[in-house]
Amino acid sequence: SEMCIRDSDNNETSEIDGHVQVFENIEGEWIQIGEDIDGETKYDDEGNPLNLRFGINVSLSNDGKTLAINRQKRHYTGSSFIYKNISGIWTQIENFTVGYFNNDISISGDGSVVAISTYTFIWCQDEDIVWFDQVGEVFIFKNTFNRILICNI
């Protein structure tokens, strides 16, 4: 059986980027599969880290060979990434930017379909009353012969 460990606040420097690890239980011992998948460090115009929070949500296919990872920037657009384990190396095969905040991610058992839920805040006003509300969407991505089909719900 495989297991995915994420730590969206872990980085070897002081910036918050995050990383993901995948383990397999072999004869009662958890062995890491491939190396850590580290988040990318990016900075704003003033040199401050963007705190990308790579690995805020993860999902692993049943065979443990396809991995979906969310990255959620604070006050920026979130992104999602699909990785495949190819000969023991986690290789990014796709990335998506679909919403303001990527809330959750789920991959199908066979690794061919990914669902990403997103949300954003909208500003509302009714006469003298102002409030913020959340609006969400779900995006479905299906990999069909290396062609990604998108359905927005």
Side-chain angles (χ1 to χ4, degrees), residues 22-151:
V22 178
F23 293 85
E24 182 176 9
N25 190 327
I26 300 173
E27 298 179 6
E29 186 175 344
W30 290 101
I31 306 296
Q32 185 169 350
I33 305 302
E35 298 201 5
D36 291 2
I37 305 168
D38 292 319
E40 180 182 7
T41 302
K42 289 188 177 182
Y43 300 91
D44 66 16
D45 294 338
E46 297 172 3
N48 301 310
L50 290 177
N51 301 333
L52 298 176
R53 303 191 74 199
F54 180 82
I56 189 73
N57 292 296
V58 296
S59 185
L60 189 62
S61 65
N62 288 347
D63 65 2
K65 296 189 185 306
T66 308
L67 177 62
I69 303 173
N70 267 356
R71 176 181 76 189
Q72 184 185 72
K73 297 182 200 176
R74 292 185 180 101
H75 310 297
Y76 295 94
T77 304
S79 299
S80 299
F81 304 87
I82 309 301
Y83 285 82
K84 275 227 181 259
N85 188 326
I86 302 171
S87 301
I89 298 171
W90 289 106
T91 305
Q92 183 182 321
I93 60 168
E94 192 62 71
N95 67 350
F96 309 102
T97 300
V98 295
Y100 193 73
F101 287 115
N102 289 10
N103 190 41
D104 206 356
I105 194 163
S106 184
I107 196 165
S108 64
D110 67 1
S112 68
V113 178
V114 175
I116 304 168
S117 68
T118 68
Y119 71 94
T120 189
F121 294 97
I122 59 170
W123 182 74
C124 304
Q125 183 172 357
D126 183 17
E127 304 215 2
D128 293 331
I129 301 171
V130 176
W131 70 95
F132 290 93
D133 207 351
Q134 289 186 5
V135 175
E137 295 179 285
V138 174
F139 294 83
I140 308 294
F141 298 90
K142 181 170 176 53
N143 188 346
T144 308
F145 304 110
N146 296 323
R147 187 169 157 228
I148 302 296
L149 304 175
I150 303 171
C151 174

